[in-house]
Amino acid sequence: SSIYGGLRSSYDYGPLGVSLKNNLAASWWRDINNDNDLSIYPVDTAIIQSSEVWKASGHLAEFSDPMVDHKPTGERFRADQVPDGLKKEDLTEPRHFNLMFETNIGPVHNENSAVYLRPETAQGIFVNFENVLRTMRAKLPFGIANIGKSFRNEITPGQFIFRTREFEQMEIEFFCKEEDQEEWFNFWINKRLDWYKSLGISEDKLRIRTHEENELAHYASKTSDIEFMYPWGWGELEGIANRGTFDLTSHERESGKDLTYFDPESNEKINPVVIEPAGGLTRTLFAILCSNYDEDTVNDTTRTLFRFNFEIAPIQIAILPLSKKDNLINFSKEIKTKLQKSFRTEIDITQSIGKRYRRQDEIGTPYCITVDVETVDDKSVTIRNRDTMDQERVEINKLHHYFENI
Ligand code: GAP
């Protein structure tokens, strides 16, 4: 919306942002599947679902914040976030404001056509529990993962993409037996924390905070947040909740469908307990931008850079021919052809080599390859490391192997 002056809480991602976001999503998926003993099944569920889903999940009745209006200006605030200095008599009594975006399907607008944009990806998992169980012959414990857009009519969006009205979530509902719930709750806190560390977020910027009783969502008996030290202080990055049997039993009651699990050991139908690691993809991207941004001094000039790790960097390897001569450009193209099947690469030919290094630093490219006149004779190139600034001469036909072993 920026050419029209912008729309609060609405952001678009450009080419490099899309790459970073996709790489983070892929890393999340790889990480939750890197354990042979864990079965995690993916689903991709609808944004607009039957309104009955939100009735059963409790979102229609419970997903709201108490709000007050400032009578002189008509401004609306969360009851617990009224700015200092406003007079109490100018505020209305708190009223509940549902955070779901409502719209209508079909040509007739009435209460029967009302539908909602999903406020979490989680419910798409619960309503598909039986489908996955049956088609994948899933055995407890197992998880179902869903990733995609969610929408909340947040009253106080802000702090860039930390809290927006349209955002992406990456959620897992992990189904287990009641007696194993504590073990899996702790397992998922540690596993998810390790993932954030593996992205290069330093340990002192991460902490676990257990929710007080009065903070718990309507479905949770226990929740711990993984928090990140944002520029303004600690804030939520991901919540790990014990949702118990709340969702499956609610959907069972409202839909009349059997959503139990047949336990072959006890020969009984049981309601599995759910441990839910619920992360935000766009919020993680924000945390990565904050924690990877850096400035340092090179040859008396300041460079700004993102220290993205190799796995998630939008461009992993930039190929920089020292001149625009045909033979150097051809070598560069040949190198790109060799590397691009496995790595995200680009050839950058404009401006001085110094400026090109700075530009690649700014977008967080971990490695630059310079192709120079000697390349023609020795079939080698110089690899420059973004972080150490070390340079190394490597034969072109060993490049693939070099980057594979990073
Ligand atoms: N299914 C449970 C659930 O949705 P949540 O704590 O409300 O739990 C999970 O959301 C994660 O989604 C949060 O930890 C955060 O990373 C992300 N998230 C929630 N609301 C958000 C918003 N308005 N903008 C950006 N990310 C948000």
Side-chain angles (χ1 to χ4, degrees), residues 120 152 154 162 164 167 169 171 236-237 243 276 280:
E120 61 171 18
R152 296 181 190 177
E154 300 278 4
F162 174 78
T164 46
F167 53 96
Q169 290 189 301
E171 299 197 285
E236 179 181 342
L237 193 52
R243 291 181 82 123
E276 175 195 65

Side-chain angles (χ1 to χ4, degrees), residues 63 119-122 152 154 161-169 171 173 219 225 236-239 243 276 278-284:
F63 196 55
E120 61 171 18
T121 56
R152 296 181 190 177
E154 300 278 4
I161 53 169
F162 174 78
R163 182 176 289 109
T164 46
R165 296 197 169 108
E166 175 179 343
F167 53 96
E168 282 179 66
Q169 290 189 301
E171 299 197 285
E173 305 305 323
Y219 49 73
D225 285 345
E236 179 181 342
L237 193 52
E238 168 157 349
R243 291 181 82 123
E276 175 195 65
L281 175 56
T282 43
R283 196 176 282 187
T284 300

